[in-house]
Amino acid sequence: MTLKASVGSPFARILSVGAATPSRVIDNEYLLQYIDSSDEWITQRTGIRERRWIGEDEDIKTLSLTAGRQAIERAGVDVAEIDAVILSTISHYHQTPALAPQLATELGLTDAAAFDISAACAGFSYGLAQAEALVRSGQARYVLLIAGETISEITDLTDRGTAFLFGDGAGAVLVGPSETNGIGPVVWGSDGSQAGVIWQTKSWQDAVADGTWPKLGMDGRAVFKWATGFIAQAAKKALEEAGITADQLDVFIPHQANNRITDTLLRYLKLPENVVVARTIQTLGNNSAATIPMAMDALLASGEAKSGQTALIIGFGAGLVYAGQVITLP
Ligand code: UT7
């Protein structure tokens, strides 16, 4: 028997972006009460001057809802047409139930498919690949992709190697059908043999036993090496897969892990000087999965980047996992 297959739009694109930045501004000075460091070292080695952490009335849900709502409003799409919600996160406290169904319901969606994905700092591009596939296959008309993180809650403030890196926040995009292609082929992959490069310091079972939360641990040098070597090649491949050359690119939004990583990627890709480069790490730190949509929103809001321009995005992180694609900005 031949079964009916769903039929979707030939192409998909990002229709809108939204973001939520938490209220507490944490400067480098604040962290010096916990770690032996200096404002100068942190700024020079990473580019980070400050980051945002959640305040009393904020959490991963409030941030994700704000970003998601903004993306829906900006797209002007009726919620009844949004068939799926994907939340990309590594900092939601509950392994089950996923947070995405609650977000979908609170955003006014009825009976939408909704699920969380865990791909750390590559989570936005992983989710975008899913959203694009759902729209193009006809499994969903519109997909809301939210990336929400509260990494401050799993940061070990006494760890000199990570305490200063992370910030909280959320970003969201609405992906829908398009007559022209706005999302290039994803270049993605993983290397589980490097699971020990960025890790959770203990399992939840051990956390229950000793009554303290697991935190994030990281071999910063190993990530740095991987990001400036292998990830640089992956970024180049994403350009090739989309059929464009470096001089046709308008905007570059790499995961904001370290300004020195971004500088190395720029040199490797030989991007022209006029390409606009995301540097939100300076004021937002590393927001894991939320980094790329938050940077996209900031660049569009400031006018540095414009709707319709061509941007390369690439994320990389714990897993190890990575994903990147060329997109048309909403
Ligand atoms: O989203 C993906 C997640 N991963 C990342 O974002 C991290 C990528 N990695 C990095 O960004 C960098 O590896 C770090 C910023 C984490 C560290 O910078 P680094 O240049 O790789 O530092 P290092 O570990 O090689 O240490 C260099 C020096 C050492 O001193 P000596 O041995 O040269 O005297 C460290 O003791 O810097 C010292 N150091 C510090 N000094 C002040 C290490 N941490 C600190 C600190 N403050 N917090």
Side-chain angles (χ1 to χ4, degrees):
M1 191 180 303
T2 306
L3 302 180
K4 239 172 100 177
S6 59
V7 179
S9 164
F11 303 116
R13 71 184 174 99
I14 298 174
L15 300 163
S16 61
V17 61
T21 309
S23 56
R24 278 178 75 199
V25 180
I26 305 292
D27 61 14
N28 292 338
E29 205 65 38
Y30 174 86
L31 296 168
L32 304 184
Q33 62 184 303
Y34 303 105
I35 50 167
D36 174 19
S37 189
S38 65
D39 176 39
E40 195 190 3
W41 189 92
I42 298 170
T43 310
Q44 282 180 1
R45 301 298 271 205
T46 67
I48 304 172
R49 292 197 307 268
E50 59 188 37
R51 70 287 291 142
R52 297 292 190 103
W53 289 356
I54 47 170
E56 265 182 25
D57 298 329
E58 297 165 322
D59 60 23
I60 192 167
K61 196 167 168 183
T62 63
L63 296 176
S64 300
L65 283 173
T66 301
R69 199 168 284 125
Q70 219 173 61
I72 295 171
E73 281 167 11
R74 288 178 178 171
V77 167
D78 186 343
V79 289
E81 294 200 81
I82 304 172
D83 295 323
V85 175
I86 304 172
L87 174 70
S88 187
T89 186
I90 55 160
S91 41
H92 175 43
Y93 321 129
H94 297 261
Q95 209 142 17
T96 196
L99 187 57
Q102 296 161 61
L103 299 177
T105 299
E106 292 210 23
L107 289 168
L109 279 64
T110 312
D111 201 24
F115 54 98
D116 295 356
I117 60 170
S118 171
C121 305
F124 179 75
S125 282
Y126 259 72
L128 188 60
Q130 298 291 305
E132 181 224 349
L134 291 174
V135 170
R136 292 185 55 202
S137 67
Q139 310 276 354
R141 285 167 296 175
Y142 292 88
V143 179
L144 180 65
L145 167 63
I146 304 175
E149 301 280 20
T150 49
I151 304 290
S152 68
E153 297 187 297
I154 50 169
T155 296
D156 179 357
L157 285 180
T158 63
D159 177 8
R160 224 173 160 227
T162 55
F164 52 88
L165 280 175
F166 298 99
D168 303 335
V173 292
L174 193 73
V175 177
S178 173
E179 284 175 10
T180 54
N181 192 27
I183 303 173
V186 66
V187 170
W188 56 352
S190 68
D191 180 3
S193 74
Q194 298 202 67
V197 169
I198 307 173
W199 64 92
Q200 181 174 313
T201 49
K202 59 185 159 190
S203 70
W204 288 108
Q205 202 171 26
D206 292 341
V208 169
D210 75 12
T212 60
W213 278 55
K215 303 284 182 186
L216 262 187
M218 184 178 68
D219 177 347
R221 281 187 203 188
V223 180
F224 199 98
K225 203 168 149 218
W226 176 65
T228 51
F230 183 81
I231 295 304
Q233 293 166 31
K236 195 167 182 197
K237 201 165 162 214
L239 288 177
E240 288 163 9
E241 293 279 326
I244 71 159
T245 51
D247 59 340
Q248 292 173 306
L249 198 68
D250 301 307
V251 181
F252 181 39
I253 312 178
H255 173 53
Q256 302 287 287
N258 188 317
N259 256 346
R260 290 187 294 133
I261 293 177
T262 299
D263 292 338
T264 310
L265 295 177
L266 278 175
R267 282 195 298 275
Y268 179 85
L269 294 168
K270 299 188 175 63
L271 297 187
E273 297 244 314
N274 62 343
V275 169
V276 172
V277 180
R279 299 278 185 187
T280 42
I281 192 166
Q282 293 165 358
T283 52
L284 297 176
N286 174 346
N287 314 95
S288 188
T291 306
I292 291 174
M294 288 178 84
M296 194 190 304
D297 182 72
L299 288 176
L300 288 166
S302 69
E304 289 167 87
K306 308 238 175 329
S307 171
Q309 285 188 322
T310 303
L312 169 64
I313 62 174
I314 186 152
F316 48 87
L320 294 174
V321 292
Y322 70 95
Q325 53 271 87
V326 176
I327 58 166
T328 304
L329 290 176

